[in-house]
Amino acid sequence: MARRAQTGSGRLSRGLLLLWALLGTGLCQAGAEPEGFNQDARTSPPVAMFNWTAQLVEETYTNITQKCWEFFVDLMRNVTASELCEWKVISRPYSLLQACLEGWADHLRYGYPNALAEQYIFQSHHRYFHNCTLEHQVYFDPPEDVLLAMIIAPICLIPFLVTLVIWRSKDGKAQP
């Protein structure tokens, strides 16, 4: 088997993906006039720049997560319906989706977990794994009123039993 040549640490591919996302949003277009270099922009407070940057990061992350989802869907095309609930088969695509969502959030300093990543995770469960059931029966806690009765009954019974033992031992007659 021929060995695959290594292309580096993956920074190049991440950089290209980020560039592609920026080009796709229309933020990096040739011949476009740069915004924000007029007199008003120089005197505006730094908060306005921060809001624009946060919006850019959110928009970039939204575009990248869409590509993460499309890659996951492409990987899941190779999984048959009978294999959808087998962790050995789906762990790789599922882990790659999570790593992509989390990795790009960390790279962009967007914060993880976030609502968009959770949406894609829930969407994957709804679309692919909603018919998966556990082989073993799952035990749930009883309702609170039953649980409270099960806790209080022995506690109340103990003083009664202690009183009964003391009362019977004071009788003075020898027990055969």
Side-chain angles (χ1 to χ4, degrees):
M1 210 182 234
R3 297 185 72 188
R4 204 170 64 158
Q6 293 226 308
T7 59
S9 64
R11 291 183 185 182
L12 180 62
S13 61
R14 285 185 179 171
L16 289 174
L17 186 58
L18 181 60
L19 179 62
W20 176 82
L22 291 174
L23 288 172
T25 60
L27 295 173
C28 295
Q29 294 183 3
E33 288 286 327
E35 296 181 7
F37 289 108
N38 56 18
Q39 181 66 26
D40 295 329
R42 277 187 269 130
T43 58
S44 64
V47 174
M49 179 93 173
F50 177 77
N51 288 340
W52 180 80
T53 304
Q55 181 181 2
L56 173 65
V57 168
E58 184 173 351
E59 200 170 303
T60 303
Y61 185 69
T62 301
N63 291 333
I64 290 172
T65 55
Q66 180 63 36
K67 295 300 171 193
C68 293
W69 174 253
E70 290 170 4
F71 180 65
F72 173 74
V73 169
D74 189 47
L75 289 175
M76 291 301 289
R77 283 190 185 113
N78 299 327
V79 178
T80 64
S82 63
E83 296 175 324
L84 280 177
C85 297
E86 294 182 30
W87 180 245
K88 291 178 183 177
V89 176
I90 63 161
S91 66
R92 182 175 177 265
Y94 189 82
S95 296
L96 287 174
L97 173 65
Q98 181 184 5
C100 184
L101 296 172
E102 186 175 357
W104 278 104
D106 289 344
H107 183 72
L108 296 172
R109 300 188 195 315
Y110 188 66
Y112 187 88
N114 56 59
L116 190 57
E118 286 180 4
Q119 178 184 350
Y120 281 114
I121 296 294
F122 286 137
Q123 185 175 345
S124 72
H125 284 257
H126 179 71
R127 184 170 176 179
Y128 294 104
F129 315 123
H130 66 278
N131 285 332
C132 295
T133 57
L134 296 174
E135 293 177 8
H136 304 289
Q137 183 179 4
V138 178
Y139 297 105
F140 296 103
D141 288 337
E144 286 186 23
D145 54 345
V146 173
L147 186 62
L148 189 62
M150 291 172 64
I151 293 171
I152 292 180
I155 294 173
C156 294
L157 191 60
I158 291 172
F160 172 74
L161 292 174
V162 169
T163 305
L164 184 64
V165 167
I166 292 173
W167 178 65
R168 293 295 289 170
S169 67
K170 287 186 176 182
D171 195 12
K173 295 180 184 175
Q175 297 291 330

